[in-house]
Amino acid sequence: MAKPPQPSRRGATRQQRQAGKTKNPWRTGQRFDIKLYLRQHQAFLKESLGRLVGHPLASIMTILVIAISLSLPGGLFVLLKNVQSVTDQWEQQSVISLYLFPNQDDTQALSLSHQLSSRADVASVEYISKEEGLRYFEQSSGYEEIMSTLPENPLPIVLKVIPKAAVDLTTLPALQELRAHLQSLPQVEHAELDAEWLQRLATILDFGQRFVYAISALLVFAVLLIVGNTIRTAVESRRDEVLVMKLVGATNSYIRRPFLYMGFWFGVLGGVFATLCIILLTLWVSAPAEQLIELYHAEFELQSFNAVEIIICLTISALIGVIGSWIAVSRHIRDIELQ
Amino acid sequence: MEIEFQRVGKKYESGQEALSQVSFHLRQAEMAFLTGHSGAGKSTLMKLIMMIERQSTGNILVDGVDLSTLGKGAIPYHRRRVGVVFQNHQLLFDRSVFHNVALPLQVSGADDAQTGKRVRAALDKVGLLGKEKLNPMALSGGEQQRIGIARAVVNKPQLLLADEPTGNLDPRLSAEIMNLFQEFNRVGVTVLVASHDLALVARMRHRVLTLNQGHMVNDGGFS
């Protein structure tokens, strides 16, 4: 065997010494073999599943805890998705009412009305003079007598701007922008978008979304801890094996691998059960939910997880499993040293 | 494999000085015994060669390479070239004899066909061919010891270390085990056996290294 160059210890910087340390005279010549790598992984995948099956009760308990922890954020996600799909259908004719300053006369107001109706995002503008306004008011409110006691008509000229877009959750921001623009016109005292309840709904949905994210983050953390703890116990119970493997020259990454796969299986199986839970739950509530929505004369079909979402859910749960076991196993394998 | 200790000392964190100023040179394909009372430093010396412990002073050269220049990442590859029969770290009872012996091969990534061939060859050498499917628990103490030896040599190591390999065995079995080591040595493997069975060591007629309280007090012919 060729003698590798010996780093001179005297006068070498710490860094150089470190570099010298990582050099491995016996590793050279060993090429990375992709086939071998894949074969080992396949073997580990099978072996680690076998170990899970070997301790069925403990494995099922862990998997169920993971499944329950994951099905809560998953279920909330489905709920949110459905609320959004329902509210997306809810739209109404949008109207922005412009209350002009009292000093505006009919000619000025009419010219503003023409100007606005030529805008691309405006369908039409309805002109309501002071007198018309007074008539509407008297008819609808029944304050005829009180109004007749006033010396003059207190009502302003109103322009009802009908935008092209109907108002719903998706068009709301653009309409709010239009309202702000109209408010900024010099003739306009006050501009009002008649969509208060939609604005409230949007806020509630935003709140709901953040709530779901926060809950999800907490429960993902919980699953990391559950997997980590389970894997730590598994490593501890195989202490002798880890020691023998270190003795016969196993690298830490080789020792780590079966445990990572174990975490992978816990994650995936937990994800599968969580998905099943959510699908069953949606089936269970679908009949009453659809009846409820029908009362509001809306078309509605309760949505469950679709294929893409199932894949995303399983991927995330598998990742959580691998990461949780990685953290536990890296810490633990370093602690188990030959003596 | 060639081992050279140059004024090696080992002081444990507890303050106990296990080895001091130990120098010797074990040549390629040489066989030697390491003797001394318990606590003399035999195990420590073996652990230093396996890089289970690191020396406090001096240099250990393996095939000319100073072990202190090797980082943690190099340790597994170093250990693959050394076969060990240690008293603790013995067999795993959750798997068959075959899988116990195959462990070093799996760890270094041998394929199944090669593994099967080598494991059977190793078991044949120690006289356990045909018992590969059994659980080690079903075998006698002497047979278990031979499984350990098969595991140590299955990787065709260049150095074989044995720490009290005949500890619990009767004289006849002990002699058999020693003969096995001698056979490996004859095909070019460097062998170092720690034993306190002086009578047995004397009969083997090999070089004897004697430790006393961490010092090398005798290096020479059999006593």
Side-chain angles (χ1 to χ4, degrees):
Chain A
M1 180 167 298
K3 201 170 164 176
Q6 294 288 312
S8 141
R9 296 186 74 79
R10 204 184 308 140
T13 64
R14 193 183 145 76
Q15 237 175 359
Q16 278 167 332
R17 277 204 300 276
Q18 288 289 321
K21 272 195 183 258
T22 52
K23 203 174 280 170
N24 186 343
W26 297 300
R27 202 180 176 173
T28 47
Q30 271 203 356
R31 263 212 239 114
F32 181 72
D33 181 349
I34 183 81
K35 262 198 211 154
L36 168 71
Y37 190 74
L38 290 178
R39 201 178 54 235
Q40 280 188 344
H41 274 269
Q42 205 185 352
F44 276 135
L45 203 61
K46 249 195 254 166
E47 198 223 293
S48 56
L49 186 63
R51 280 189 189 273
L52 248 65
V53 176
H55 301 92
L57 197 64
S59 304
I60 286 173
M61 296 278 262
T62 305
I63 289 167
L64 284 185
V65 172
I66 294 169
I68 291 165
S69 310
L70 289 177
S71 58
L72 188 53
L76 286 173
F77 169 78
V78 169
L79 179 70
L80 202 65
K81 189 172 94 161
N82 279 293
V83 169
Q84 250 157 359
S85 90
V86 168
T87 52
D88 278 353
Q89 298 170 22
W90 290 348
E91 55 171 46
Q92 67 183 69
Q93 182 67 58
S94 55
V95 177
I96 301 173
S97 305
L98 305 181
Y99 300 91
L100 303 188
F101 281 109
N103 62 5
Q104 298 287 307
D105 62 24
D106 280 353
T107 345
Q108 287 168 312
L110 273 171
S111 97
L112 178 62
S113 162
H114 283 303
Q115 205 185 314
L116 291 180
S117 53
S118 63
R119 278 181 66 106
D121 51 355
V122 172
S124 65
V125 179
E126 195 185 328
Y127 180 84
I128 300 168
S129 68
K130 292 184 183 182
E131 295 69 34
E132 278 176 298
L134 188 62
R135 243 191 335 270
Y136 283 139
F137 194 72
E138 284 171 352
Q139 279 169 11
S140 58
S141 64
Y143 287 128
E144 202 171 339
E145 275 174 39
I146 299 167
M147 297 305 280
S148 61
T149 61
L150 292 170
E152 57 177 81
N153 182 357
L155 297 176
I157 296 172
V158 177
L159 297 182
K160 283 201 173 248
V161 177
I162 320 280
K164 282 208 174 117
V167 60
D168 63 28
L169 282 176
T170 52
T171 60
L172 191 60
L175 290 171
Q176 280 170 331
E177 215 170 288
L178 178 62
R179 188 210 70 85
H181 171 71
L182 296 174
Q183 171 78 71
S184 70
L185 295 174
Q187 303 91 326
V188 177
E189 185 174 20
H190 180 63
E192 196 176 87
L193 175 63
D194 186 13
E196 206 178 317
W197 67 271
L198 259 177
Q199 281 168 319
R200 274 190 205 148
L201 184 66
T203 319
I204 291 172
L205 283 181
D206 184 39
F207 172 76
Q209 217 161 20
R210 284 171 195 224
F211 182 73
V212 170
Y213 289 156
I215 292 273
S216 305
L218 281 177
L219 288 168
V220 162
F221 188 63
V223 173
L224 277 179
L225 292 181
I226 296 162
V227 173
N229 195 46
T230 308
I231 297 295
R232 193 184 56 77
T233 319
V235 175
E236 199 46 54
S237 74
R238 289 168 73 182
R239 195 186 180 89
D240 286 344
E241 188 183 344
V242 170
L243 287 174
V244 170
M245 292 217 283
K246 284 196 171 191
L247 190 70
V248 298
T251 57
N252 277 351
S253 70
Y254 181 92
I255 299 172
R256 202 156 41 209
R257 239 174 272 159
F259 297 109
L260 293 186
Y261 275 116
M262 214 170 177
F264 168 81
W265 284 121
F266 277 132
V268 165
L269 293 175
V272 167
F273 279 101
T275 310
L276 276 178
C277 270
I278 291 165
I279 290 173
L280 288 177
L281 211 67
T282 10
L283 281 179
W284 189 53
V285 300
S286 68
E290 279 163 27
Q291 267 175 6
L292 180 71
I293 303 294
E294 259 168 42
L295 292 179
Y296 292 89
H297 307 289
E299 281 289 309
F300 178 67
E301 198 179 329
L302 195 70
Q303 297 174 44
S304 188
F305 264 176
N306 61 32
V308 175
E309 284 158 353
I310 290 175
I311 290 168
I312 291 174
C313 173
L314 293 184
T315 310
I316 290 175
S317 57
L319 266 179
I320 298 172
V322 173
I323 293 170
S325 79
W326 180 282
I327 295 168
V329 96
S330 299
R331 273 190 50 112
H332 225 61
I333 280 181
R334 240 179 299 137
D335 291 346
I336 299 179
E337 264 308 333
L338 290 161
Q339 282 173 3
Chain B
M1 193 187 268
E2 217 178 341
I3 309 279
E4 192 176 354
F5 272 51
Q6 298 172 337
R7 304 164 74 81
V8 171
K10 173 66 188 176
K11 202 169 180 174
Y12 285 104
E13 269 170 42
S14 60
Q16 180 208 349
E17 196 168 21
L19 291 177
S20 80
Q21 302 281 339
V22 170
S23 297
F24 68 91
H25 188 172
L26 202 58
R27 280 179 186 74
Q28 168 74 38
E30 193 174 352
M31 180 160 177
F33 285 96
L34 187 62
T35 63
H37 59 85
S38 64
K42 301 192 296 284
S43 293
T44 301
L45 193 148
M46 298 235 160
K47 284 176 193 167
L48 290 177
I49 297 174
M50 283 302 282
M51 297 183 79
I52 293 171
E53 297 285 351
R54 300 265 196 170
Q55 76 268 31
S56 315
T57 55
N59 293 318
I60 301 171
L61 303 180
V62 172
D63 281 346
V65 175
D66 188 345
L67 289 188
S68 66
T69 64
L70 297 182
K72 268 198 167 174
I75 294 176
Y77 301 92
H78 169 64
R79 287 183 187 158
R80 287 178 197 177
R81 307 197 319 150
V82 184
V84 279
V85 184
F86 277 7
Q87 274 210 308
N88 41 359
H89 310 308
Q90 273 302 327
L91 304 171
L92 300 172
F93 295 108
D94 63 347
R95 60 197 74 192
S96 65
V97 169
F98 181 95
H99 283 108
N100 266 283
V101 176
L103 207 60
L105 295 171
Q106 285 169 350
V107 156
S108 56
D111 65 42
D112 288 349
Q114 208 184 355
T115 302
K117 227 168 64 189
R118 290 243 203 131
V119 169
R120 274 184 284 276
L123 285 172
D124 189 23
K125 256 180 240 164
V126 300
L128 287 176
L129 198 61
K131 300 202 170 177
E132 59 200 63
K133 291 206 178 79
L134 297 177
N135 186 295
M137 206 101 79
L139 303 184
S140 70
E143 285 171 322
Q144 287 185 9
Q145 193 72 315
R146 282 186 282 162
I147 300 171
I149 294 169
R151 189 183 72 194
V153 300
V154 74
N155 227 358
K156 295 189 179 161
Q158 295 152 41
L159 170 69
L160 192 58
L161 294 180
D163 193 7
E164 303 287 356
T166 59
N168 310 317
L169 302 180
D170 64 47
R172 194 180 55 83
L173 282 173
S174 300
E176 266 178 36
I177 300 272
M178 288 301 182
N179 285 333
L180 259 177
F181 288 133
Q182 221 160 8
E183 276 171 42
F184 291 122
N185 176 242
R186 263 185 222 124
V187 296
V189 180
T190 311
V191 179
L192 182 62
V193 181
S195 175
H196 61 252
D197 189 344
L198 291 175
L200 183 65
V201 168
R203 274 204 304 278
M204 300 299 293
R205 303 192 164 257
H206 283 286
R207 180 175 169 194
V208 178
L209 305 168
T210 308
L211 284 171
N212 186 11
Q213 290 183 336
H215 294 267
M216 189 68 83
V217 292
N218 175 43
D219 178 358
F222 39 90
S223 44

